[in-house]
Amino acid sequence: MDIINLYRSILRRKWLILFCSILAAILAFVYAKFKTKLYASKAQYSTGLTIESVTVSDNFNVFQIDAKFSNIIETFKSPNVIGLLSYRLLANDLTSKQPFRKLDAKQETAFKSVGITKERAVRILLNKLDSLKLLRTNDPEENKLNDVLEIYKYDYKSLSGVIGVSRLQRTDYIDIYAETNSPELSAFLVNEIGASFLNFYNSLSNVRSSESISNLERQVSSKSKQFDSIYNSLQNTKQGSVGDISAQITSLMGIIQSYEEKLGEEKASLNRQTAQLNNLNNQIAALQKPVQTEPSSNNADAIAALRTQIRDLETEKASNPAQASTIDAKIKLLQREIAIKSKKPAGPKIDEALLADLKQKKYDAEAEVESAGKNIKEFEGTIRKYQGQISGLAGKDVGIAKEEAMAEMTSKELASIKDRFETVQGKKEGVGMNFKQTLFGQPSLEYESTRPILTTALSGASVFLTLCFIFLFLELLNPSLRTLVAFERELKLTPLVVLAKVNFKKESLGNVLSNTTSAPKKDRKLLLRFRTVIQLLRLKILESKKRVYLLSSYQSGEGKSLLIEALAKSLQMTGKSVLIVDANVMSNGLTEKYNAKPELIALLNGETTLENAVTKTEEEGIDIIGSSNTSSTFAELVSKNHQGIKSVFEASGYDYVLIEAPVMKYHIGVFELNDSVDGILNVVSADSVIDADYKAAMEKLYANREHFVGMVFNQVLHDNMPSS
């Protein structure tokens, strides 16, 4: 969808958009003009949160500041603070001669129906203000006051809607503003809400009631004495030879280090001598062990051969018992020979000199191991002795460290108590105590302007832009063809002609084609263009030399009936005779319009003559043959020996025959008749949505290159027509 078409879609709806925009502007102007006049008042409070002299926390940062401001703002808006403020307002209106709000007759009746006197209501309200408590809903009498607050519009919902609380950005201040129909009431709200906030905040902190100054003073004195005692004891402990103890510990650590080095050397020597001793023991054991040798491989083979001979002799003995004694003698000889070959030869003799040398080295190694073990034990004992001396000296330093830790803890406790004592005295105030009103609200002399001109302009502009956006969005979502560009993109074909959408309910087709229309001047251009396009299509038909045309469409409502009528009228105006054939057996609209005889199927089956089947119309030279409504196809309706459509109408004497086919979406009549006509014109509406089935039907239609003439793009909006 290009920009021009989107722009045209807005232009088509310009009057609706302008009407809605003007209506919205008028309504906004009326609302702003007659809106209740409101008077605004503003107060400002300093919180002290960002003042450097107020030490709230050692690690105070901007995030903590924001959190503190958020807490204060939420406390201002809380039901407790708004509730205390509403009690002040109601008590004032019930007792003052100049109340902020006066009840009308209806409200007075509602107040009386609550069933509580003004005197009793004032006593309850003052009691709640003194105790800083809210009205109890479970108390019937106090709950009545909630109804009274709603009558006066002093309830929480009403007041919270007219009071605003916000922080003045990057400052220490909070702005309170209110808008009501009374300037005095607005000023009262912004000034008194601060007092209600402080009362509620102090009731939560309750510093003065929880800790008295005298009690904290006694705690400071007691903790100071305790700190002095611990500090003096620490100083006495540190006096003396603290430096000598450190020097002794350092000297002993050096001695221990030297002995640890010697201990390491002895342990390494012990490991070497132990490994050497183990090696000597292994050599001696290997030397003393007798060496046995296995029979040679040759003896083994010989023994195996002898045993084979013995088995053969035993087999022969079993088969020849008479030679048993002789065979037994041979077996014994073989067994004796096996025994001789199986004996293992003795190993070599032991080297006595080498064995004696190894034993001597073993005795020396054992002596070295024993000596190293004694040295290790002696070094370890010496190290333990000096470590014990160090532990005794270090115990004195541990006692000093404990006293220092106790002194530090006592110092922190003393500082904390002093801090609380200063806070109670007022030397170090908290957030609530440092909360001050720096700007007092004043009754406004003029009501807040509703800015009717600006409100009107903004309302009209917002409606205008909103409707434009909605229509553009709907246009983008519209899947229909609408334009010639979309037609060519979807169907991959350029139409023969493009017909504009014309409302023929206001103007007859005959008047449009004969240019005798009485339509307004602004519509004549569109009608003239429609007439010109029909004439152009007529010219293409005259030039094609084809007589019998089939007009088809994929679905109903695409305008092929109107196109047939327009073509017939246009051809008739050039002196041509035209026969209209309503072959749309699913929806025979032309048959009904012209009250034609439904003789098409009978004519094709040879059951009637052409003269009897034809119905004359009011237009000279235009006749019609009608059909009956049915869901059957032409192949099912006509007989096997039916006359060919082309042969019937070519012999009819009419110059042109225009046949309306059933829609392809529900009927295959087009494909059954396409070989019986000279040319096929397909009509596509701009409102059509091209889906997969639509494209498949068109491709099937294109395949008949011999008869397919082209497309007629119909019912295109005037704004979407291609420029001529």
Side-chain angles (χ1 to χ4, degrees), residues 28-29 32-33 447-458:
F29 179 81
K33 197 68 176 177
Y447 63 86
E448 290 295 301
S449 174
T450 56
R451 299 175 180 174
I453 303 300
L454 180 61
T455 303
T456 301
L458 289 177

PDB file of all heavy atoms in Angstrom, residues 28-29 32-33 447-458:
ATOM      1  N   ALA A  28     -15.802  19.439  24.533  1.00  0.00           N
ATOM      2  CA  ALA A  28     -14.727  19.852  25.436  1.00  0.00           C
ATOM      3  C   ALA A  28     -14.871  21.313  25.838  1.00  0.00           C
ATOM      4  O   ALA A  28     -14.639  21.673  27.002  1.00  0.00           O
ATOM      5  CB  ALA A  28     -13.370  19.627  24.758  1.00  0.00           C
ATOM      6  N   PHE A  29     -15.291  22.154  24.898  1.00  0.00           N
ATOM      7  CA  PHE A  29     -15.481  23.574  25.212  1.00  0.00           C
ATOM      8  C   PHE A  29     -16.617  23.761  26.216  1.00  0.00           C
ATOM      9  O   PHE A  29     -16.485  24.532  27.177  1.00  0.00           O
ATOM     10  CB  PHE A  29     -15.778  24.348  23.931  1.00  0.00           C
ATOM     11  CG  PHE A  29     -16.019  25.812  24.157  1.00  0.00           C
ATOM     12  CD1 PHE A  29     -14.957  26.691  24.309  1.00  0.00           C
ATOM     13  CD2 PHE A  29     -17.321  26.316  24.234  1.00  0.00           C
ATOM     14  CE1 PHE A  29     -15.177  28.044  24.534  1.00  0.00           C
ATOM     15  CE2 PHE A  29     -17.540  27.661  24.455  1.00  0.00           C
ATOM     16  CZ  PHE A  29     -16.462  28.529  24.611  1.00  0.00           C
ATOM     17  N   ALA A  32     -15.359  22.566  29.637  1.00  0.00           N
ATOM     18  CA  ALA A  32     -14.421  23.501  30.255  1.00  0.00           C
ATOM     19  C   ALA A  32     -15.105  24.797  30.674  1.00  0.00           C
ATOM     20  O   ALA A  32     -14.750  25.392  31.704  1.00  0.00           O
ATOM     21  CB  ALA A  32     -13.275  23.799  29.285  1.00  0.00           C
ATOM     22  N   LYS A  33     -16.090  25.225  29.893  1.00  0.00           N
ATOM     23  CA  LYS A  33     -16.760  26.500  30.180  1.00  0.00           C
ATOM     24  C   LYS A  33     -17.640  26.412  31.413  1.00  0.00           C
ATOM     25  O   LYS A  33     -17.717  27.348  32.220  1.00  0.00           O
ATOM     26  CB  LYS A  33     -17.588  26.914  28.963  1.00  0.00           C
ATOM     27  CG  LYS A  33     -18.004  28.373  28.965  1.00  0.00           C
ATOM     28  CD  LYS A  33     -16.814  29.296  28.786  1.00  0.00           C
ATOM     29  CE  LYS A  33     -17.246  30.760  28.679  1.00  0.00           C
ATOM     30  NZ  LYS A  33     -16.082  31.654  28.570  1.00  0.00           N
ATOM     31  N   TYR A 447     -10.110  31.846  40.562  1.00  0.00           N
ATOM     32  CA  TYR A 447     -10.220  30.402  40.360  1.00  0.00           C
ATOM     33  C   TYR A 447      -9.258  29.971  39.246  1.00  0.00           C
ATOM     34  O   TYR A 447      -8.825  30.765  38.409  1.00  0.00           O
ATOM     35  CB  TYR A 447     -11.654  30.011  40.012  1.00  0.00           C
ATOM     36  CG  TYR A 447     -12.197  30.589  38.727  1.00  0.00           C
ATOM     37  CD1 TYR A 447     -11.975  29.957  37.502  1.00  0.00           C
ATOM     38  CD2 TYR A 447     -12.925  31.779  38.731  1.00  0.00           C
ATOM     39  CE1 TYR A 447     -12.462  30.495  36.323  1.00  0.00           C
ATOM     40  CE2 TYR A 447     -13.414  32.318  37.556  1.00  0.00           C
ATOM     41  CZ  TYR A 447     -13.185  31.673  36.354  1.00  0.00           C
ATOM     42  OH  TYR A 447     -13.662  32.203  35.192  1.00  0.00           O
ATOM     43  N   GLU A 448      -8.926  28.695  39.277  1.00  0.00           N
ATOM     44  CA  GLU A 448      -8.014  28.131  38.284  1.00  0.00           C
ATOM     45  C   GLU A 448      -8.703  28.091  36.922  1.00  0.00           C
ATOM     46  O   GLU A 448      -9.807  27.553  36.789  1.00  0.00           O
ATOM     47  CB  GLU A 448      -7.592  26.711  38.686  1.00  0.00           C
ATOM     48  CG  GLU A 448      -6.682  26.662  39.896  1.00  0.00           C
ATOM     49  CD  GLU A 448      -5.354  27.323  39.632  1.00  0.00           C
ATOM     50  OE1 GLU A 448      -4.651  26.875  38.709  1.00  0.00           O
ATOM     51  OE2 GLU A 448      -5.026  28.294  40.350  1.00  0.00           O
ATOM     52  N   SER A 449      -8.047  28.641  35.947  1.00  0.00           N
ATOM     53  CA  SER A 449      -8.631  28.667  34.603  1.00  0.00           C
ATOM     54  C   SER A 449      -8.701  27.259  34.016  1.00  0.00           C
ATOM     55  O   SER A 449      -7.755  26.472  34.129  1.00  0.00           O
ATOM     56  CB  SER A 449      -7.787  29.564  33.691  1.00  0.00           C
ATOM     57  OG  SER A 449      -8.258  29.490  32.360  1.00  0.00           O
ATOM     58  N   THR A 450      -9.828  26.944  33.431  1.00  0.00           N
ATOM     59  CA  THR A 450      -9.988  25.636  32.770  1.00  0.00           C
ATOM     60  C   THR A 450      -9.424  25.648  31.353  1.00  0.00           C
ATOM     61  O   THR A 450      -9.435  24.613  30.683  1.00  0.00           O
ATOM     62  CB  THR A 450     -11.479  25.264  32.721  1.00  0.00           C
ATOM     63  OG1 THR A 450     -12.210  26.313  32.074  1.00  0.00           O
ATOM     64  CG2 THR A 450     -12.018  25.046  34.122  1.00  0.00           C
ATOM     65  N   ARG A 451      -8.978  26.826  30.895  1.00  0.00           N
ATOM     66  CA  ARG A 451      -8.352  26.969  29.577  1.00  0.00           C
ATOM     67  C   ARG A 451      -9.241  26.361  28.481  1.00  0.00           C
ATOM     68  O   ARG A 451      -8.872  25.369  27.849  1.00  0.00           O
ATOM     69  CB  ARG A 451      -6.983  26.313  29.568  1.00  0.00           C
ATOM     70  CG  ARG A 451      -6.034  26.929  30.579  1.00  0.00           C
ATOM     71  CD  ARG A 451      -4.726  26.189  30.624  1.00  0.00           C
ATOM     72  NE  ARG A 451      -3.823  26.791  31.604  1.00  0.00           N
ATOM     73  CZ  ARG A 451      -2.638  26.285  31.934  1.00  0.00           C
ATOM     74  NH1 ARG A 451      -2.223  25.186  31.351  1.00  0.00           N
ATOM     75  NH2 ARG A 451      -1.884  26.891  32.833  1.00  0.00           N
ATOM     76  N   PRO A 452     -10.400  26.936  28.290  1.00  0.00           N
ATOM     77  CA  PRO A 452     -11.336  26.337  27.328  1.00  0.00           C
ATOM     78  C   PRO A 452     -10.794  26.284  25.902  1.00  0.00           C
ATOM     79  O   PRO A 452     -11.054  25.322  25.181  1.00  0.00           O
ATOM     80  CB  PRO A 452     -12.563  27.241  27.422  1.00  0.00           C
ATOM     81  CG  PRO A 452     -12.050  28.535  28.000  1.00  0.00           C
ATOM     82  CD  PRO A 452     -10.944  28.157  28.910  1.00  0.00           C
ATOM     83  N   ILE A 453     -10.019  27.314  25.505  1.00  0.00           N
ATOM     84  CA  ILE A 453      -9.495  27.313  24.132  1.00  0.00           C
ATOM     85  C   ILE A 453      -8.505  26.169  23.943  1.00  0.00           C
ATOM     86  O   ILE A 453      -8.568  25.408  22.964  1.00  0.00           O
ATOM     87  CB  ILE A 453      -8.824  28.668  23.813  1.00  0.00           C
ATOM     88  CG1 ILE A 453      -9.825  29.829  24.011  1.00  0.00           C
ATOM     89  CG2 ILE A 453      -8.276  28.645  22.390  1.00  0.00           C
ATOM     90  CD1 ILE A 453     -11.047  29.726  23.142  1.00  0.00           C
ATOM     91  N   LEU A 454      -7.581  26.037  24.899  1.00  0.00           N
ATOM     92  CA  LEU A 454      -6.585  24.967  24.804  1.00  0.00           C
ATOM     93  C   LEU A 454      -7.248  23.594  24.906  1.00  0.00           C
ATOM     94  O   LEU A 454      -6.897  22.665  24.154  1.00  0.00           O
ATOM     95  CB  LEU A 454      -5.540  25.144  25.911  1.00  0.00           C
ATOM     96  CG  LEU A 454      -4.427  24.089  25.944  1.00  0.00           C
ATOM     97  CD1 LEU A 454      -3.628  24.111  24.649  1.00  0.00           C
ATOM     98  CD2 LEU A 454      -3.518  24.315  27.155  1.00  0.00           C
ATOM     99  N   THR A 455      -8.200  23.463  25.842  1.00  0.00           N
ATOM    100  CA  THR A 455      -8.905  22.178  25.998  1.00  0.00           C
ATOM    101  C   THR A 455      -9.658  21.820  24.727  1.00  0.00           C
ATOM    102  O   THR A 455      -9.657  20.660  24.283  1.00  0.00           O
ATOM    103  CB  THR A 455      -9.874  22.260  27.182  1.00  0.00           C
ATOM    104  OG1 THR A 455      -9.152  22.620  28.358  1.00  0.00           O
ATOM    105  CG2 THR A 455     -10.570  20.935  27.401  1.00  0.00           C
ATOM    106  N   THR A 456     -10.299  22.832  24.134  1.00  0.00           N
ATOM    107  CA  THR A 456     -11.041  22.589  22.890  1.00  0.00           C
ATOM    108  C   THR A 456     -10.104  22.155  21.766  1.00  0.00           C
ATOM    109  O   THR A 456     -10.381  21.178  21.049  1.00  0.00           O
ATOM    110  CB  THR A 456     -11.790  23.863  22.483  1.00  0.00           C
ATOM    111  OG1 THR A 456     -12.687  24.246  23.524  1.00  0.00           O
ATOM    112  CG2 THR A 456     -12.575  23.640  21.197  1.00  0.00           C
ATOM    113  N   ALA A 457      -8.987  22.864  21.628  1.00  0.00           N
ATOM    114  CA  ALA A 457      -8.041  22.534  20.555  1.00  0.00           C
ATOM    115  C   ALA A 457      -7.439  21.145  20.744  1.00  0.00           C
ATOM    116  O   ALA A 457      -7.339  20.358  19.791  1.00  0.00           O
ATOM    117  CB  ALA A 457      -6.937  23.584  20.502  1.00  0.00           C
ATOM    118  N   LEU A 458      -7.058  20.841  21.961  1.00  0.00           N
ATOM    119  CA  LEU A 458      -6.459  19.528  22.219  1.00  0.00           C
ATOM    120  C   LEU A 458      -7.465  18.398  22.001  1.00  0.00           C
ATOM    121  O   LEU A 458      -7.109  17.341  21.466  1.00  0.00           O
ATOM    122  CB  LEU A 458      -5.908  19.478  23.646  1.00  0.00           C
ATOM    123  CG  LEU A 458      -4.656  20.318  23.919  1.00  0.00           C
ATOM    124  CD1 LEU A 458      -4.262  20.238  25.384  1.00  0.00           C
ATOM    125  CD2 LEU A 458      -3.501  19.857  23.040  1.00  0.00           C
TER     126      LEU A 458
END
